[in-house]
Amino acid sequence: MVPCLKEDPELWYSDAAVAQHAARELCETCPLTVPCREAGRQGREFGIWGGESTIERARLGYAPVGYHANHRLKDIAPARP
Ligand code: SF4
């Protein structure tokens, strides 16, 4: 069974850094990491999918519908060197 079906699902949908870190670590142990990450992108999902967060997907052009309206542009703009 994949980790997100065994553990508290709130870890994958929390805004708290500690919870997101725990979810990412669990995703790293999952055999579905790569296809799950792609499904999160293509589905423009919220939460941690395949170890990737909503904001990370948004930076790659896979923001959930309505995400831009609810988040400041500086939060999703690519980091500048
Ligand atoms: S990679 Fe996907 S299926 Fe696996 S634990 Fe993470 S969110 Fe769940």
Side-chain angles (χ1 to χ4, degrees), residues 46 58 63-73 75-76:
F46 284 95
V65 174
Y67 185 78
H68 291 84
N70 297 324
H71 292 77
R72 292 174 295 175
L73 194 57
D75 291 337
I76 60 170

Side-chain angles (χ1 to χ4, degrees), residues 8-81:
D8 181 356
E10 284 300 313
L11 292 176
W12 280 264
Y13 293 99
S14 174
D15 288 332
V18 171
Q20 290 187 5
H21 180 73
R24 287 176 200 272
E25 285 196 336
L26 289 163
C27 286
E28 286 180 15
T29 70
C30 180
L32 299 178
T33 303
V34 172
C36 179
R37 185 178 303 137
E38 186 60 24
R41 291 176 181 178
Q42 296 306 320
R44 296 176 180 268
E45 302 287 351
F46 284 95
I48 304 287
W49 284 63
E52 192 170 75
S53 69
T54 306
I55 195 166
E56 289 167 333
R57 282 189 298 280
R59 286 175 174 151
L60 295 171
Y62 299 101
V65 174
Y67 185 78
H68 291 84
N70 297 324
H71 292 77
R72 292 174 295 175
L73 194 57
K74 75 173 189 61
D75 291 337
I76 60 170
R80 299 197 188 277

